[in-house]
Amino acid sequence: MKLVALAVFLATAQLWYEHDNTIYTVSAPVTIRDAPAYPYRGFMLDTARNYFPVADIKRTLDAMSWVKLNEFHWHIVDSQSFPFEIPGFTDLAQKGAYSSSQVYSLSDVRDIISYAGARGIDVMVEIDTPGHTAIIAEAHPEYVACPGATPWATYANEPPAGQLRFADSKVTDYIAKLFTAVATIFPSKLFSTGGDELNTNCYAIDEPTQASLNATGRTLEQALDAFTQETHKALEVKGKTPVVWEEMVLVHNVTLSKETKVLVWISSDNVKAVAEKGYKLIHAASDYFYLDCGGGGWVGANPNGNSWCDPFKTWQHAYSFNPTANLTAEESKLVLGGQHLLWTEQSGPQNLDSIVWPRAASSAELFWTGPGGNVSTALPRLHDVAYRLRQRGVDAISLQPEWCALRPGACDLTA
Ligand SMILES: *[C@@H]1O[C@H](CO)[C@@H](O)[C@H](O)[C@H]1NC(C)=O
Ligand SMILES: *[C@@H]1O[C@H](CO)[C@@H](O)[C@H](O)[C@H]1NC(C)=O
Ligand SMILES: *[C@@H]1O[C@H](CO)[C@@H](O)[C@H](O)[C@H]1NC(C)=O
Ligand SMILES: *[C@@H]1O[C@H](CO)[C@@H](O)[C@H](O)[C@H]1NC(C)=O
């Protein structure tokens, strides 16, 4: 589809209804004057905890385009699996994917990038480092500290334990080359290098790390700084802007370029601190936008476990988020937008649509329209989105009993 035709289709597909083989609209003639409040309106999918076939990702991209989300943040690998076949680094997927059929080949990735692009969606890949990398030990045991250390909870936020030996310059070189190879595949200017949940206990028991630190006379933080600068430099050479999780600016003392973008995830309470440091930021706070919260605990042998970010985050809660709360006018300019996120410890193709849709449409509207929306008047629109998604093959869930959906306002708390 030509770009102009696509834009017209995207705008008008929301205006037309089909009923009894008749296509109609409730408002004509129509003039559209519209522009987004924020440039970054995303959705993040983790394809490492569980694998999602290409068709599921494409269906998700379709749904994203219908609500004008324009950034697919692809958390493609993590400690549990490495389903990404990177030219020159194919041993990582060969040894680290769940199976040979649960791998994104280079042509799969290119297919997803172009499918997304045709729908106005940029793909920001994430290679999370130096934590969340235990799986690299399958191909390169010498690069990973405390692999499989137990009890895992002492050495990692999730099993299995294992993080990059970033104090070793060979590891830094390897990751810089890996980033270069991945940067060559993805046309996006944004490249997420991760940087969350680094566990220091893991390095404390790792002899090779201690030996590297001793040999260089550096502290762990200084080594992390060197690793971060080297690996980010490899991206900057390729014209990319690094995107990091919030700990890289709030917990660690590393040198980042001022262009670096920050994903605020632990809590919306941390937004202010990131803004005060002057970084552009993307809202991704667990207390508003994590789709997996409230799903119960998944760790085995723990019958009373809850999700760490209980309770479930409703669409209304996400929709009520104020992107510039507590920020000065100057700090507010640092907000690029935001996104819903799906971590997939308890998700797969089976519940992808139902856990994401139509909830993710609420942040799509929030970051398109800006804050101050009214949940009462948004509800009928969201019902509408859910019906359309289902009609087009995306299994969006019901938000209310049909009785309520048919009577706007009748089920409001105060009605
Ligand atoms: C590193 O240095 C510390 C302090 O001098 C020493 O106790 C430790 O054994 C050394 N570790 C290694 C692996 O070289
Ligand atoms: C952070 O790093 C800088 C430069 O490497 C150093 O001057 C400063 O003392 C460090 N701050 C802390 C709190 O470690
Ligand atoms: C704004 O500040 C209040 C009071 O400190 C806090 O409770 C709230 O979580 C903050 N909101 C955001 C979005 O930072
Ligand atoms: C939200 O919209 C409803 C329905 O139009 C209206 O009654 C209510 O006053 C609005 N709430 C706010 C906070 O504007």
Side-chain angles (χ1 to χ4, degrees), residues 328-380:
T328 65
E330 217 35 50
E331 288 165 355
S332 297
K333 293 182 192 155
L334 299 170
V335 176
L336 292 172
Q339 62 186 11
H340 266 96
L341 308 89
L342 183 61
W343 300 106
T344 60
E345 286 86 353
Q346 300 186 90
S347 293
Q350 307 77 10
N351 69 343
L352 174 63
D353 292 1
S354 59
I355 202 165
V356 177
W357 304 107
R359 271 193 294 168
S362 67
S363 61
E365 180 166 308
L366 166 66
F367 292 111
W368 181 281
T369 310
N374 180 326
V375 289
S376 186
T377 52
L379 177 58

Side-chain angles (χ1 to χ4, degrees), residues 3-85:
L3 204 59
V4 172
L6 176 72
V8 171
F9 169 77
L10 288 177
T12 56
Q14 294 173 354
L15 291 172
W16 301 100
Y17 296 81
E18 198 211 314
H19 184 66
D20 274 352
N21 290 324
T22 305
I23 292 173
Y24 71 97
T25 179
V26 289
S27 51
V30 169
T31 311
I32 299 170
R33 196 181 286 265
D34 200 8
Y38 294 101
Y40 184 112
R41 302 173 311 281
F43 168 67
M44 191 215 79
L45 181 66
D46 157 16
T47 58
R49 271 50 180 267
N50 281 299
Y51 178 81
F52 293 79
V54 171
D56 294 291
I57 295 177
K58 287 186 169 177
R59 190 174 66 259
T60 302
L61 291 166
D62 284 339
M64 286 173 66
S65 74
W66 299 331
V67 293
K68 301 201 277 277
L69 290 175
N70 66 351
E71 195 73 47
F72 177 49
H73 173 183
W74 192 357
H75 185 90
I76 189 167
V77 297
D78 207 296
S79 271
Q80 289 84 359
S81 79
F82 202 104
F84 181 14
E85 198 173 82

Side-chain angles (χ1 to χ4, degrees), residues 207-208 210-211 214:
E207 264 201 36
Q210 294 308 318
N214 284 359

